[in-house]
Amino acid sequence: MFKLVSRLSGRRAAVTGQFCCRPGSSQLHLASGASCQKSALDYSSADIPDMPSCNFKPEEYKGMSKERMMEIRRQYCNPMTMKVTYYKKPVFIHQGHMQWLWDVDGRRYLDLFAGVATVSVGHCHPKVTAAAEHQLKRLWHTTSIYVYPPLHEYCEKLASYFPDPLKVIYLTNSGSEANDLAMLMARLHTGNFDILTFRGSYHGGSPQTMGLTSNAAYKYPIANGLGCTNTMCPDVFRGPWGGSHCRDSPVQTIRDCGCAQGHCMANEQYIGQLKETFATSVPSRIAAFFGEPIQGVGGAVQYPRNYLKEAYKLVRERGGVCIADEVQTGFGRTGTHFWGFQGHDVIPDMVTMAKGIGNGFPMGAVVTTPEIAASFAKGVHFNTFGGNPVACAIASSVLDTIKEDGAQQISLDVGTYLMTELAKFRDKYEIIGDVRGKGLQIGVEMVKDKVSRDPLPAEAMSEIFEDVKDMGVLIGKGGVYGQTFRIKPPMCITREDADFFLAVFNKSIQNYMDRSLMRQSCCSLGLARFHLGIGAVCQKPAFKHPPADLPEMPPCDFQGEKYKGLSKEGMMKIRKEHCNPVTMSITYYERPIYIYHGYNQWLWDVDGRRYLDLFAGVATVSVGHCNPKVTAAAEKQLKRLWHTTNIYVHPTLHEYCEKLASNLPDPLKVIYLTNSGTEANDLAMLMARLYTGNYEIITFRGSYHGGSQQTMGLTSNSSYKYPIATSSGCTHVMCPDVFRGLWGGSHCRDSPVQTIRECNCAPGQCMAKDQYIGQLNEAFATSLPSRIAAFFAEPIQGMGGATQYPKNYLKEAYKLVRERGGICIADEVQTGFGRTGTHFWGFQGHEVMPDMVTMAKGIGNGFPMGAVVTTPEIAASFGKAFHFNTFGGSPIACAVGSSVIDTIKEEGLQQNSHDVGTYMLIELAKLRDKHEIIGDVRGKGLQIGVEMVKDKASRAPLSPQAASDIFEDVKDMGVLIGKGGVYKQVFRIQPPMCITKADADFFLAVFDRAVKNYMDRH
């Protein structure tokens, strides 16, 4: 089976290194990537077997020192990174290839945890990396407003892996986002509110999914996830009932079983507990039941056969939908089936997934039925990064690779072998209580003894865990008490790798037992304090016959590839059948655009027509589509390391956090990395409430801060709200809009262009500002308690239509908020990273210092990424529980984010935003004075809004149909812009920050022409 070797005699062996080449090879690997790589072993080669060979040559690490990384980790990284650093001696990860990881010293590790079950087909898998590189050179990001092939190709492919009627797909950026969305959909579809989950489960760390999660370590002491009930987990090893034939696994429990053939007493008892929950803890009608097919963080817990089948029946009888959380079990990991739920012989109503879906790329999904999807059309659900072209290309390649490489069969074969051999260890060692799982979803539960089944103490777990790592293998921990070793490797491991791990694990248990025996011996001799020391070919413009008086579109030297993919009809068919229905409702144009390629400020459709992109995928592409510098940084990191967990220390995280922190004023120096702006704002809400001990949060009417169940409470735009209970404790106060609001004048705002409203204010005085502050004071006096948690404000509203506030308004508002115990949060999701021109951050233009800053969109130029930056004091208050984000701060995200900051500086894009933006604003103001239906022009830098009205006297919004007529005309003449405002009456101009004055002139001529065309028609 595997080579067992001599045991240590009570003390650690000397650190001498270990060869990892095949027997007979004598070359030692140096960090430079010489032919044979030294392993991570701290034992002599006589003590353990040879590590399996690996022909891959890693790069030599030349980055910052370990000491500097740890210094940055303490100073700038969120404190959770220190808390989740599993090891006493941290692992500093530099590079990965398939099942292998290398640290900064060139030591090699067998990775059996896969970045928390996330790297599905192997680190930097060549096929998946090639797919990513190919798409990175074509188009990173665009919005689902347009139709682009990768989304439709992927949705069709993913849908083909599901049984009917699971055919409608919503793409997200993480598992928490997916589960958050599934909660919302379930409540909307059923009209019910209560949701059931198992004790010990983990379904996410957002304020809503925290209610689903049933593990105290991941819960914060504030109101969260209302309407969630945790019922008894049918755990046949640790629970009250269990036997030796209960579960669908190669290995059963050690518990006795007297059940007759085909009968399971344990199953009946656990179903009885579920019925008791229905009778006592929830109303007669419920919304949903969430269940992982095998618990992940809970420690690979399996349920009795047929339990889920009976549970689903009971849930549906009570009006609920059944949701399979496949975040950890999906994509062939369980071996016998592609999805974990198939092993239970059930069909859920919804399936959520993430982690292995993208092999480490930030991505998730909800798959549901057409019926449930149809009930979700009562509002607009929007996800900036969900289903972006790069994510879809990668995920499509992952599906292909799983099939081509036989990864599911490997999971079955190697996983079954591992469990069978681990069961022999269980029979050998008293402290191994249970071995369980399916495929490569394996748990080994450690106990004090088999009779009591009491969990092995945390210190003992850590000793074994460190020992396994020191001998060259990385595994995980889980379970309610942290008592279960989790083995969830990339699905490319070999039987040889399994044998190496088995020998290492066996040795580690032996070592622990020897040390325990020695400790007992020492104690019996009175030596209680004895210490062992172990411690696009053709670039046609987007119009066939440009008007004679329209200038030519500025030239572009870039040559795009010729499109050879799905037909337009095929894409629209998939969009209707498999893409979430909201993609149809947000397809702005009557004649949709089918986007294929992008480069800097340009987009090409599948027919090779070129468009000037002045919306940048909803203000997301900051430095230009497929910017060569940023693309190069991404490609370089793709070949080095995509994903690992923050349990380990990896240089890119620390380099990026230090760089980002250097661009923020003191004391804003502690950084929490997320996958989106919604996640960032969700987290900021949680932190504000924990820090202040207060609950109420204020935002402006017309604002947009996200679409999760919590951030939907912050958002004040009915288009983005669903008719269910969303985040309580959110109050919307009057937006100080000096054009459309009650008060305004001609000197109010910090912009090159003022409103057309008259103003009689004396110099230095602003009556409009005073009136709006009065409204805020009134809200404090009437609608809020005396102490509040936070005030969220965008420096310039984005979705709200580039709305600007009077000068000094935020300064006074911040003072009032702080007097009431609240903290001030600047939502820089759209305004950050130099977009406003005068400053790197929008809040700096208001001369205020927030307590927290949230950001996303432009942070990664289209890569799914976000952040919360706060003070050390606020961060310190967030250490009451574990906050974990699978993809937040991944190596590739940090490499991209770092390159974006460098590119903004090196290419002078902040100054370009100021110069081109100011020019555009001034010229647009001339068009406002020319055309009666242009009511207002506003903004700073390249955050611009043009508000359309029926007439200037009434300021009544231009009708949606009229705005759409102009919008389509602009598009048909080759320019893409956005729409916003409460009444969709504002054209939004938020281009990549690399546009030129020539581009601006082209747009100005197009826009003038489009408005004139409308006026002529009417």
Side-chain angles (χ1 to χ4, degrees):
M1 179 188 71
F2 54 86
K3 178 178 163 191
L4 288 172
V5 290
S6 64
R7 298 167 62 183
L8 291 179
S9 302
R11 63 191 184 96
R12 301 276 293 275
V15 179
T16 59
Q18 159 72 32
F19 293 120
C20 66
C21 293
R22 299 190 184 278
S25 175
S26 60
Q27 290 178 295
L28 179 66
H29 165 73
L30 302 175
S32 60
S35 61
C36 186
Q37 300 136 8
K38 61 181 178 181
S39 73
L41 313 180
D42 280 354
Y43 292 88
S44 67
S45 57
D47 290 324
I48 54 172
D50 290 337
M51 180 179 274
S53 61
C54 171
N55 296 322
F56 181 80
K57 297 180 181 180
E59 303 168 10
E60 181 181 3
Y61 178 68
K62 298 177 181 178
M64 63 172 62
S65 68
K66 296 178 189 176
E67 295 75 20
R68 182 62 184 139
M69 278 191 262
M70 292 307 291
E71 185 184 344
I72 292 168
R73 201 167 178 92
R74 292 188 188 98
Q75 248 184 303
Y76 302 130
C77 298
N78 82 74
M80 282 301 129
T81 59
M82 293 301 295
K83 199 168 182 177
V84 301
T85 304
Y86 273 17
Y87 297 107
K88 293 176 183 176
K89 302 185 292 292
V91 184
F92 295 79
I93 296 296
H94 167 53
Q95 192 158 1
H97 179 74
M98 302 307 284
Q99 65 269 48
W100 305 104
L101 288 172
W102 284 263
D103 70 12
V104 296
D105 297 316
R107 296 191 181 97
R108 180 160 60 102
Y109 298 85
L110 176 61
D111 182 11
L112 297 192
F113 200 31
V116 192
T118 302
V119 179
S120 48
V121 297
H123 292 285
C124 303
H125 191 290
K127 294 176 187 173
V128 184
T129 300
E133 289 178 321
H134 185 64
Q135 189 60 47
L136 282 168
K137 291 171 180 170
R138 181 182 289 161
L139 182 68
W140 286 42
H141 175 87
T142 188
T143 167
S144 297
I145 289 165
Y146 316 136
V147 185
Y148 49 93
L151 171 66
H152 304 82
E153 291 163 358
Y154 179 63
C155 285
E156 183 177 46
K157 187 178 291 185
L158 182 60
S160 73
Y161 283 81
F162 281 95
D164 287 327
L166 294 165
K167 295 296 178 184
V168 184
I169 296 162
Y170 294 76
L171 294 173
T172 68
N173 306 295
S174 67
S176 284
E177 279 193 4
N179 284 332
D180 203 309
L181 177 59
M183 292 174 74
L184 174 60
M185 294 175 75
R187 286 168 167 163
L188 274 168
H189 177 67
T190 63
N192 306 325
F193 194 71
D194 282 71
I195 297 176
L196 282 176
T197 64
F198 287 135
R199 292 178 201 152
S201 63
Y202 182 87
H203 299 283
S206 70
Q208 282 293 319
T209 58
M210 204 189 297
L212 299 179
T213 291
S214 175
N215 187 318
Y218 297 93
K219 285 184 172 286
Y220 288 91
I222 65 163
N224 59 70
L226 301 175
C228 294
T229 299
N230 310 127
T231 190
M232 182 183 282
C233 177
D235 181 347
V236 296
F237 173 71
R238 178 156 298 285
W241 306 284
S244 54
H245 305 290
C246 294
R247 62 195 180 200
D248 178 23
S249 173
V251 180
Q252 300 296 326
T253 73
I254 55 173
R255 300 174 74 168
D256 291 332
C257 180
C259 296
Q261 188 75 25
H263 173 78
C264 182
M265 182 270 290
N267 181 58
E268 292 174 1
Q269 294 285 359
Y270 287 119
I271 286 292
Q273 288 295 306
L274 179 60
K275 288 178 177 177
E276 188 172 310
T277 300
F278 283 128
T280 61
S281 302
V282 295
S284 60
R285 306 289 289 174
I286 67 170
F289 165 63
F290 274 78
E292 302 163 271
I294 300 173
Q295 283 193 347
V297 174
V301 176
Q302 290 182 278
Y303 326 129
R305 294 187 184 98
N306 295 320
Y307 177 91
L308 281 188
K309 192 180 287 187
E310 293 185 40
Y312 274 29
K313 182 173 181 288
L314 292 171
V315 168
R316 286 168 173 152
E317 286 171 356
R318 287 155 179 82
V321 297
C322 300
I323 302 171
D325 180 336
E326 294 271 2
V327 168
Q328 296 200 29
T329 49
F331 299 93
R333 180 163 288 281
T334 61
T336 55
H337 301 87
F338 202 78
W339 305 109
F341 69 77
Q342 294 169 315
H344 294 272
D345 195 22
V346 295
I347 302 262
D349 304 292
M350 276 191 242
V351 182
T352 61
M353 62 202 73
K355 291 191 181 286
I357 191 173
N359 201 44
F361 192 92
M363 194 174 181
V366 179
V367 181
T368 189
T369 68
E371 182 187 4
I372 294 174
S375 69
F376 196 52
K378 297 171 185 173
V380 176
H381 175 78
F382 185 76
N383 191 310
T384 297
F385 300 116
N388 69 77
V390 176
C392 290
I394 287 169
S396 185
S397 180
V398 168
L399 288 176
D400 293 343
T401 302
I402 290 170
K403 186 177 284 189
E404 292 163 8
D405 290 6
Q408 182 180 330
Q409 189 64 45
I410 290 171
S411 288
L412 177 62
D413 297 343
V414 180
T416 301
Y417 175 70
L418 262 170
M419 281 184 278
T420 304
E421 297 303 319
L422 284 166
K424 295 175 184 176
F425 292 169
R426 178 200 62 191
D427 299 340
K428 177 179 177 182
Y429 295 112
E430 183 66 13
I431 63 170
I432 300 180
D434 195 31
V435 172
R436 57 181 175 254
K438 281 182 72 177
L440 292 173
Q441 179 95 342
I442 299 171
V444 180
E445 183 155 349
M446 310 300 289
V447 294
K448 289 180 180 177
D449 59 84
K450 288 185 169 76
V451 176
S452 71
R453 302 198 303 276
D454 288 342
L456 194 66
E459 184 54 42
M461 289 290 293
S462 289
E463 281 188 37
I464 300 168
F465 194 60
E466 292 277 340
D467 222 12
V468 170
K469 179 260 290 181
D470 289 341
M471 286 190 275
V473 182
L474 303 177
I475 58 177
K477 283 190 289 188
V480 173
Y481 308 102
Q483 81 282 18
T484 305
F485 290 126
R486 295 163 66 194
I487 301 156
K488 304 177 184 188
M491 299 188 293
C492 57
I493 68 161
T494 66
R495 186 161 165 173
E496 188 181 11
D497 301 329
D499 283 337
F500 177 68
F501 162 67
L502 289 162
V504 164
F505 190 64
N506 183 54
K507 182 68 179 175
S508 299
I509 302 294
Q510 286 178 356
N511 289 348
Y512 172 77
M513 300 295 280
D514 287 347
R515 289 192 296 264
S516 297
L517 186 62
M518 183 168 282
R519 277 190 286 260
Q520 291 168 15
S521 300
C522 291
C523 288
S524 67
L525 293 170
L527 302 175
R529 294 183 62 82
F530 184 81
H531 178 57
L532 297 174
I534 302 163
V537 176
C538 156
Q539 298 184 2
K540 298 179 283 187
F543 43 88
K544 294 180 180 177
H545 305 291
D549 56 348
L550 196 68
E552 287 186 15
M553 181 178 277
C556 172
D557 295 332
F558 181 79
Q559 294 289 322
E561 300 170 10
K562 185 174 181 180
Y563 179 67
K564 299 176 182 178
L566 283 170
S567 68
K568 295 178 187 177
E569 296 75 19
M571 280 189 264
M572 289 310 287
K573 182 175 184 291
I574 293 167
R575 201 171 178 92
K576 287 169 185 162
E577 282 181 21
H578 301 309
C579 299
N580 82 74
V582 178
T583 60
M584 294 301 295
S585 68
I586 64 170
T587 305
Y588 274 17
Y589 298 106
E590 293 171 10
R591 299 178 298 282
I593 306 176
Y594 297 79
I595 295 296
Y596 171 57
H597 219 303
Y599 181 77
N600 283 332
Q601 65 269 49
W602 304 105
L603 287 172
W604 286 261
D605 69 11
V606 297
D607 298 317
R609 296 191 181 98
R610 180 159 58 103
Y611 298 85
L612 175 62
D613 183 10
L614 298 191
F615 199 31
V618 192
T620 302
V621 178
S622 48
V623 299
H625 293 285
C626 304
N627 179 282
K629 293 176 185 174
V630 183
T631 299
E635 288 178 323
K636 184 178 179 183
Q637 190 61 46
L638 280 169
K639 291 171 180 169
R640 181 182 290 161
L641 182 68
W642 287 42
H643 174 86
T644 188
T645 168
N646 289 330
I647 289 166
Y648 318 133
V649 185
H650 54 91
T652 47
L653 171 67
H654 304 82
E655 291 162 0
Y656 179 63
C657 284
E658 183 177 45
K659 187 176 289 185
L660 181 59
S662 72
N663 283 282
L664 284 148
D666 286 329
L668 294 165
K669 295 298 177 184
V670 184
I671 298 163
Y672 294 76
L673 293 171
T674 69
N675 306 296
S676 67
T678 292
E679 278 193 3
N681 284 333
D682 219 318
L683 177 58
M685 291 175 75
L686 175 60
M687 294 176 74
R689 285 168 167 162
L690 275 169
Y691 173 69
T692 63
N694 307 324
Y695 194 71
E696 298 292 320
I697 297 176
I698 300 173
T699 65
F700 287 134
R701 293 178 198 153
S703 64
Y704 181 88
H705 299 283
S708 70
Q709 293 183 81
Q710 283 287 317
T711 57
M712 204 188 295
L714 298 180
T715 292
S716 175
N717 186 318
S718 62
S719 296
Y720 299 96
K721 286 183 173 288
Y722 287 91
I724 65 162
T726 56
S727 179
S728 59
C730 293
T731 298
H732 306 129
V733 300
M734 184 180 285
C735 178
D737 179 349
V738 296
F739 173 71
R740 180 156 297 284
L742 296 179
W743 304 283
S746 55
H747 305 290
C748 295
R749 61 195 181 200
D750 177 24
S751 173
V753 180
Q754 300 296 328
T755 73
I756 54 173
R757 297 175 75 169
E758 294 179 0
C759 179
N760 298 316
C761 297
Q765 193 220 359
C766 182
M767 182 271 290
K769 183 261 296 175
D770 295 341
Q771 294 284 0
Y772 287 120
I773 287 292
Q775 287 295 305
L776 180 58
N777 274 315
E778 187 172 312
F780 283 129
T782 60
S783 303
L784 296 155
S786 59
R787 307 287 289 175
I788 68 169
F791 168 54
F792 273 78
E794 304 160 272
I796 300 173
Q797 282 192 348
M799 294 278 198
T803 303
Q804 291 183 278
Y805 324 129
K807 293 170 187 154
N808 295 317
Y809 176 91
L810 280 189
K811 197 179 287 187
E812 294 190 32
Y814 273 30
K815 182 173 180 290
L816 293 172
V817 167
R818 286 169 173 150
E819 287 170 357
R820 288 156 178 81
I823 64 172
C824 299
I825 302 172
D827 181 336
E828 295 273 1
V829 168
Q830 296 199 31
T831 49
F833 297 92
R835 179 165 287 282
T836 61
T838 55
H839 301 88
F840 202 76
W841 305 107
F843 69 78
Q844 294 169 315
H846 293 274
E847 297 180 1
V848 295
M849 177 68 71
D851 304 292
M852 270 192 239
V853 182
T854 61
M855 59 196 76
K857 291 192 182 285
I859 192 174
N861 200 46
F863 192 94
M865 193 175 178
V868 178
V869 183
T870 190
T871 67
E873 183 185 1
I874 293 174
S877 72
F878 196 53
K880 299 171 184 174
F882 280 104
H883 175 77
F884 186 76
N885 191 309
T886 298
F887 301 114
S890 72
I892 188 169
C894 291
V896 168
S898 186
S899 180
V900 167
I901 291 176
D902 291 344
T903 302
I904 290 169
K905 301 283 175 93
E906 291 163 8
E907 298 186 4
L909 296 183
Q910 181 181 327
Q911 187 63 46
N912 193 62
S913 286
H914 178 267
D915 296 346
V916 179
T918 300
Y919 174 73
M920 284 181 77
L921 282 162
I922 291 169
E923 295 302 314
L924 282 165
K926 295 175 184 177
L927 296 182
R928 176 199 63 190
D929 298 340
K930 175 180 176 181
H931 298 293
E932 180 65 15
I933 62 170
I934 301 179
D936 194 33
V937 172
R938 55 182 177 255
K940 281 183 72 177
L942 290 173
Q943 179 92 344
I944 298 173
V946 181
E947 182 153 353
M948 309 302 289
V949 295
K950 291 180 179 176
D951 58 83
K952 289 184 171 75
S954 70
R955 301 200 304 279
L958 194 66
S959 70
Q961 185 56 54
S964 288
D965 285 351
I966 298 169
F967 195 61
E968 291 277 341
D969 221 10
V970 170
K971 179 259 290 182
D972 289 342
M973 287 188 276
V975 182
L976 305 178
I977 57 176
K979 281 191 287 190
V982 174
Y983 308 103
K984 305 294 181 287
Q985 81 283 17
V986 182
F987 292 130
R988 296 165 62 192
I989 300 153
Q990 297 167 284
M993 298 189 295
C994 56
I995 68 161
T996 67
K997 190 172 174 180
D999 300 329
D1001 284 335
F1002 177 68
F1003 161 66
L1004 290 162
V1006 164
F1007 189 63
D1008 183 35
R1009 179 64 184 235
V1011 174
K1012 185 176 183 300
N1013 288 349
Y1014 172 80
M1015 299 293 283
D1016 289 347
R1017 289 194 296 268
H1018 295 82

